[in-house]
Amino acid sequence: MSRIRRSTDDELASRNWRQQSFSYFIEIIDFGRKTDMLTGMPGSFDRDKTLVLPPEGTNEDAAGRAVPEPVIAQLDAHLSLIGAAFSYGEMERADIKLMLQTAYLVLRDTGRRPIEVASLRLKCLETRKDENTLIWDNVKKRRYGRKLPITRETADVIRTWQARRRQIEVPSRSRKYLFPSITDHSGFAHMGASSLANSMREWVAAIPVLLSDELDEHGSRMPFDRTLIFPYAFRHSYAQRHADAGIPVDVLKELMDHRSIVTTMSYYQVSLKRKREAITTMRRHTIDRSGRPAPFTSTTDYEAQSVAVPFGNCREPSNVKAGGKACPIRFQCAGCGFYRPDPSYLPAIEQHVNDLRADLETAKAMDADDFVVRNLTDQITAFTNVGDTMRNRLSSLSEDEREEIEEASAVLRKVRASRDHKLLPLTVIRKDSPDAG
C-alpha cells in the first residue's frame, strides 16, 4: 500500500510520507490484534522486518544548483563585507576577513566541496614551471592527495593567506591546516564546513542589493533568492562554468573527480539546451546592414555562420569556412552585404562605435588625410545605424518578447566570450597516474 502511494499529480509520494503511512498501517494492525478486533486475520499477515523502503538516492553533484555568474560578480564586488561581523575564537577581525575571503575564492575557483576546502593543508600548493597545483583530499570518497590545476590568481590568493596564517596563533591541533579550527576543543582540527556555511550566510545577508537576471513587469531586474547561495553551490558553478566554456567532458570529469561521466554530462546538457533555446529565439531577429529583417532558416544555419566576427554573424562563404579569419575588409562589417547582426551583439557594437570615435579624434589630432577621417566617420555612422535599428525594433516588441530576447542574448554572449578562453592550465592528474592519490 505505502509503496505505491502517489500524489494528486501522479508523482510517487516522498519516502518519508510512505514510511510514515506504512508505520500507521502496522500500528492499526497491532492495535486490532491486541483488542481482539481482528480475530479472523491469520497470524502470517504481519510485517516482514527484512523489507524496508530503500533510501532515496541523492546526487549532490547533479547539475542545476549553480550560482549564476552575474550573481557571483555581485558577490565579488562585495567581498570586503565577508567576515565583517563573524566571530571566530580569538582571531582578530582583519584575520577573520582575510581567512573567509580566501575560503570563498578557493570555493569559487576550484569547485571543491566545502569540507575539502575547509580541510586543506597549510602546504596545499605545488608550483612547477609557473604551473600551480592544489593538493586536496577527496574526503567523501576517501581518496587523498588529489591534484587540481589552478590559475596563478587563485594560487596568489592562497599564498597571501598562507603568509598571514603563519604569523598568527592558532589552536595547536590546527598547525598543519590552512584554515584553523575555532578552538582546540572543536570537533575538527581544521575549520568546520558549518563555520564556512554560517559565515557565508551572514555575508550574503549583509549585501544590500543582490539581483538576478530575471525581469519584472517593468523590465527591472528582480532580487536574487539568497537561500540559493551556499558553499556547495559553487561546486556546481565551477562545473557549469567549464562546461559552458567547452572543456572536454573527460577532462571536466577528472577535474570534478566524478565517479561517473553521466554526472559530468548533465552540465553539458544544461549548456546545450540553453544555447539551442537562445539560438532558436535569436535567429528570428537578425537583420542585414541596412536594417532589413534577415532571419536565419534554422539553428544550424545560425551556428554555421556565427563565426569569429566581433559585431555580428557573417554569411560570406570563404570567411565562414575560415572561421572569420578570411575577410578582406576586416572589422568594417557594417559596410558588408554579408553582415548579419542580432540584438545579442548590441553591447559589442556600442563599444566598437566608442572605439571608432576615439580613433577618429586621434586621427584628427595626427592631421591624418581626409580619406582616413572619412572612413572612420562612415564606419561610425554605419554601425550607429545598425544599433539604432535594432533598438527601435526591440522597442516595438511586447515586454515578454523583449525579455526573451535579452535572456537569449545573455546566453549567446557568454558562449562567445568562452570560445577562446581557457579557464585553467588543463594538466589533469589522472587516476592511473603514478602521482595520483
Side-chain angles (χ1 to χ4, degrees):
M1 171 183 166
S2 59
R3 286 179 176 275
I4 62 172
R5 176 67 180 179
R6 294 181 178 271
S7 60
T8 54
D9 57 0
D10 204 37
E11 291 294 324
L12 188 66
S14 70
R15 179 179 183 272
N16 287 341
W17 195 98
R18 287 178 286 143
Q19 191 172 39
Q20 190 177 49
S21 299
F22 186 65
S23 297
Y24 289 157
F25 177 70
I26 295 300
E27 286 178 11
I28 292 172
I29 298 299
D30 291 342
F31 177 79
R33 285 192 167 130
K34 288 178 182 178
T35 57
D36 293 327
M37 297 175 66
L38 296 175
T39 54
M41 179 176 287
S44 59
F45 188 87
D46 198 2
R47 171 177 16 197
D48 185 342
K49 295 182 179 180
T50 64
L51 298 178
V52 296
L53 291 173
E56 291 181 330
T58 57
N59 186 355
E60 291 179 317
D61 279 348
R65 302 170 66 195
V67 179
E69 294 299 321
V71 175
I72 290 178
Q74 294 173 74
L75 294 175
D76 293 349
H78 292 89
L79 193 59
S80 62
L81 296 179
I82 195 169
F86 191 74
S87 298
Y88 202 81
E90 301 298 321
M91 191 177 289
E92 296 290 334
R93 177 61 51 205
D95 296 331
I96 294 174
K97 288 171 66 70
L98 182 58
M99 178 179 70
L100 294 177
Q101 287 173 4
T102 303
Y104 159 69
L105 293 171
V106 173
L107 277 172
R108 183 197 70 183
D109 293 349
T110 70
R112 299 310 90 183
R113 299 178 179 92
I115 190 61
E116 293 162 356
V117 171
S119 62
L120 285 172
R121 305 284 173 148
L122 183 57
K123 297 179 180 180
C124 62
L125 280 182
E126 182 180 279
T127 302
R128 295 178 181 175
K129 297 180 181 180
D130 295 326
E131 292 187 355
N132 297 286
T133 302
L134 182 74
I135 311 300
W136 63 285
D137 294 332
N138 187 334
V139 179
K140 182 178 181 180
K141 299 299 181 183
R142 298 182 182 180
R143 301 171 62 204
Y144 305 105
R146 312 300 292 164
K147 295 187 177 183
L148 177 77
I150 59 175
T151 63
R152 184 182 63 185
E153 291 77 13
T154 307
D156 287 345
V157 166
I158 294 174
R159 290 192 187 98
T160 299
W161 169 243
Q162 282 177 326
R164 181 58 190 151
R165 159 73 180 73
R166 290 187 173 100
Q167 295 174 3
I168 62 177
E169 289 291 330
V170 300
S172 57
R173 303 169 63 210
S174 300
R175 287 173 185 163
K176 63 182 180 180
Y177 291 102
L178 183 64
F179 303 114
S181 62
I182 297 177
T183 70
D184 258 324
H185 305 293
S186 301
F188 295 98
H190 49 76
M191 176 191 285
S194 60
S195 294
L196 193 55
N198 292 336
S199 67
M200 181 169 291
R201 190 178 303 111
E202 284 193 14
W203 170 43
V204 171
I207 296 174
V209 178
L210 204 55
L211 301 176
S212 71
D213 278 347
E214 297 181 11
L215 304 179
D216 61 20
E217 64 272 15
H218 305 296
S220 301
R221 292 171 65 186
M222 297 177 64
F224 186 75
D225 182 356
R226 300 179 190 226
T227 64
L228 300 178
I229 303 174
F230 49 91
Y232 207 105
F234 292 96
R235 178 168 173 80
H236 298 278
S237 300
Y238 174 90
Q240 193 62 63
R241 187 182 309 136
H242 284 71
D244 289 345
I247 299 302
V249 64
D250 60 323
V251 174
L252 182 54
K253 176 179 177 291
E254 297 296 330
L255 291 173
M256 296 295 291
D257 214 22
H258 282 157
R259 174 185 294 180
S260 170
I261 201 167
V262 174
T263 302
T264 315
M265 276 302 302
S266 64
Y267 291 93
Y268 290 84
Q269 290 161 0
V270 169
S271 297
L272 184 59
K273 180 182 178 183
R274 283 202 303 247
K275 182 181 176 184
R276 284 177 174 169
E277 289 174 347
I279 291 175
T280 299
T281 296
M282 199 57 63
R283 70 179 180 82
R284 302 191 301 266
H285 297 280
T286 55
I287 62 174
D288 63 17
R289 63 171 180 163
S290 302
R292 293 186 295 266
F296 285 92
T297 57
S298 66
T299 57
T300 303
D301 192 27
Y302 183 100
E303 286 195 89
Q305 294 168 75
S306 180
V307 297
V309 177
F311 322 115
N313 299 308
C314 177
R315 303 201 70 153
E316 201 285 313
S318 61
N319 194 37
V320 170
K321 185 177 180 179
K325 296 178 173 60
C327 177
I329 59 168
R330 194 155 179 78
F331 303 137
Q332 300 183 85
C333 305
C336 177
F338 293 104
Y339 182 46
R340 294 294 184 273
D342 63 58
S344 67
Y345 288 95
L346 268 173
I349 292 171
E350 291 167 354
Q351 182 58 51
H352 188 51
V353 170
N354 291 335
D355 293 342
L356 287 171
R357 285 177 176 146
D359 291 343
L360 178 60
E361 293 304 315
T362 301
K364 289 178 178 178
M366 295 170 60
D367 195 25
D369 199 289
D370 287 346
F371 81 86
V372 176
V373 173
R374 186 169 59 251
N375 177 270
L376 289 169
T377 302
D378 289 345
Q379 286 194 67
I380 291 170
T381 300
F383 277 110
T384 299
N385 288 339
V386 168
D388 289 345
T389 299
M390 281 194 286
R391 276 187 289 270
N392 290 336
R393 288 175 60 84
L394 287 173
S395 66
S396 67
L397 299 176
S398 69
E399 189 172 319
D400 288 344
E401 288 176 308
R402 288 197 301 272
E403 181 178 339
E404 181 184 21
I405 290 172
E406 183 50 45
E407 289 176 357
S409 295
V411 171
L412 293 177
R413 285 195 291 267
K414 184 176 180 181
V415 169
R416 289 195 289 267
S418 65
R419 278 175 176 165
D420 301 314
H421 177 55
K422 291 185 178 180
L423 299 175
L424 291 170
L426 295 172
T427 306
V428 180
I429 305 299
R430 298 185 180 277
K431 297 175 184 176
D432 54 356
S433 167
D435 292 331

